[in-house]
Amino acid sequence: MNQEQFINQKIEEIKAIVGSEKAVSALSGGVDSSVCTVLAHRAIKDRLRVIFIDDGLMRENEPQEVSQIFSELGIKVEIIDAKDEFFAALRGKVDPEEKRKAFRDVFYKVFGRQVINSGARYLVQGTIAADVIETKGGVKTQHNILEQIGIDPEKGYGFKVVEPLITLFKHEVRRVAESLGLPERIFQRMPFPGPGLATRVIGEVTPQRVALIRQVTQIVEEETSSLNPFQAFAVLLNDKGTGIEKGMRKFGNIIIIRSVESKDAMTAEPSQVPWEILLRMAKRITVEIPQVVRVAYELTPKPPATIEYI
Ligand code: XMP
């Protein structure tokens, strides 16, 4: 099946499933949810409400940029501020799986509320094949896998989930995105996990620690953009390292930079980032963010490591 056939088939499927009901699309701005949103919009037009939940775990300016891109496509996006709710759920949690589950629970609570308030019966979301394989295989609890782990969204939350991309891998979704006429900023966008910067903060996820990793992330994305990696990001460790400031000893944060090359995120290799770029990133991070005293570059492929740290 070619791209066009896939697109037409999915539009027809969404029309058939949703019927004359309403649906809500959970847009994050990543390629998966963007493709889903455009497919659903083509299928049911104004009966689709597109929601972007601002969970406080996004990158710099992300909510505004995404809503701008979609408004240029003629699709209105509502930004729902749920930052406090997410941070409250994450407070005190340090275990990676506990953090993922806390995120998932708030995610569905907030969306559930929106779906019900809109009188909608369906939630359209961009789950892809790798999400299902890894959650089923016990690698980790992706935020968007419900039925696969035994949660029935209809009983628990009062709506049904529609997942048009469940058979595709990331590179295939990108091709569909391009055929749909989405801008390059979307179809070439690096994967960004649903739980956002919470996956890049080891230990407790607080607004302050997220603000720090957001600043570092921006530097890493700027400095690596010319290399076009599959994914490049930064992780804040949950320990301090010793540094020096004005001749005095000080303890500061430790950052790991991770950049990987991959086709479908199932396996990955560390990117061979030129030394000058690595040094420039380390310098910029420690100068622009003085709470950071150490920067390291991650060399582990997947497997044995996963791409994200939690
Ligand atoms: P891992 O860390 O398992 O990641 O090697 C594989 C790919 O999936 C992304 N990822 C997620 N995406 N929700 C998502 O939507 C999640 O909970 C999640 N966890 C990881 C990760 O960024 C990589 O591209």
Side-chain angles (χ1 to χ4, degrees):
M1 199 189 312
N2 66 25
Q3 256 58 271
E4 276 313 304
Q5 288 164 327
F6 177 86
I7 290 168
N8 291 333
Q9 191 192 73
K10 291 295 155 186
I11 292 175
E12 290 312 312
E13 271 175 32
I14 298 170
K15 275 187 192 163
I17 295 171
V18 178
S20 56
E21 302 276 354
K22 293 183 196 151
V24 170
S25 172
L27 178 67
S28 72
V31 64
D32 309 338
S33 68
S34 296
V35 167
C36 265
T37 299
V38 175
L39 289 174
H41 186 259
R42 289 205 187 162
I44 61 168
K45 305 280 183 302
D46 291 346
R47 283 181 292 118
L48 181 75
R49 183 172 168 219
V50 182
I51 286 174
F52 182 103
I53 298 287
D54 186 355
D55 53 18
L57 304 165
M58 299 283 164
R59 289 165 291 186
E60 195 66 35
N61 277 331
E62 211 162 3
Q64 294 73 18
E65 265 177 36
V66 172
S67 102
Q68 176 65 30
I69 291 172
F70 276 80
S71 105
E72 285 163 20
L73 294 169
I75 301 176
K76 181 171 160 274
V77 179
E78 285 173 61
I79 300 177
I80 308 286
D81 183 352
K83 296 188 204 73
D84 293 347
E85 225 168 318
F86 279 90
F87 281 118
L90 290 164
R91 192 172 303 134
K93 302 217 165 42
V94 293
D95 176 78
E97 275 294 282
E98 257 185 53
K99 290 198 291 194
R100 284 179 168 276
K101 286 179 178 149
F103 179 91
R104 182 189 64 199
D105 291 348
V106 184
F107 179 88
Y108 281 100
K109 207 164 86 195
V110 174
F111 270 113
R113 231 169 25 223
Q114 295 301 328
V115 179
I116 289 156
N117 288 347
S118 337
R121 294 271 297 128
Y122 294 91
L123 170 66
V124 185
Q125 71 167 12
T127 317
I128 61 169
D131 301 341
V132 181
I133 294 168
E134 299 219 325
T135 297
K136 264 193 190 158
V139 177
K140 62 183 55 163
T141 305
Q142 296 248 145
H143 74 286
N144 50 0
I145 309 297
L146 290 177
E147 275 130 337
Q148 288 78 10
I149 51 171
I151 294 178
D152 180 346
E154 202 173 6
K155 276 199 200 120
Y157 306 94
F159 55 81
K160 288 187 184 160
V161 176
V162 184
E163 296 173 317
L165 308 181
I166 199 112
T167 56
L168 301 189
F169 284 92
K170 191 67 96 187
H171 58 288
E172 298 168 316
V173 181
R174 287 195 207 286
R175 282 193 222 123
V176 176
E178 198 173 358
S179 303
L180 278 173
L182 278 159
E184 197 170 335
R185 277 183 295 171
I186 296 281
F187 70 77
Q188 287 301 0
R189 216 174 173 86
M190 283 192 283
F192 186 64
L197 296 173
T199 59
R200 288 149 188 199
V201 170
I202 310 301
E204 192 179 0
V205 181
T206 62
Q208 296 73 20
R209 301 189 78 214
V210 170
L212 190 150
I213 201 65
R214 180 178 294 121
Q215 248 186 301
V216 183
T217 301
Q218 196 170 4
I219 296 175
V220 171
E221 289 195 359
E222 280 168 19
E223 294 295 337
T224 56
S225 70
S226 62
L227 307 172
N228 211 6
F230 178 78
Q231 239 173 317
F233 57 90
V235 177
L236 172 63
L237 295 190
N238 192 25
D239 206 350
K240 296 271 166 106
T242 306
I244 308 167
E245 191 174 56
K246 296 187 185 115
M248 298 291 286
R249 186 182 173 86
K250 76 163 181 184
F251 291 109
N253 291 291
I254 308 170
I255 291 290
I256 306 283
I257 297 173
R258 181 141 173 81
S259 178
V260 294
E261 305 308 326
S262 175
K263 184 172 168 225
D264 54 15
M266 298 296 290
T267 59
E269 289 295 324
S271 313
Q272 301 200 15
V273 178
W275 192 238
E276 317 81 79
I277 296 185
L278 288 172
L279 292 180
R280 197 164 58 231
M281 279 194 281
K283 182 154 186 194
R284 275 194 65 189
I285 293 167
T286 49
V287 168
E288 293 174 31
I289 311 159
Q291 309 96 291
V292 177
V293 294
R294 268 163 209 272
V295 177
Y297 185 64
E298 157 92 52
L299 295 173
T300 327
K302 173 183 181 175
T306 53
I307 294 177
E308 304 288 346
Y309 264 54
I310 75 163

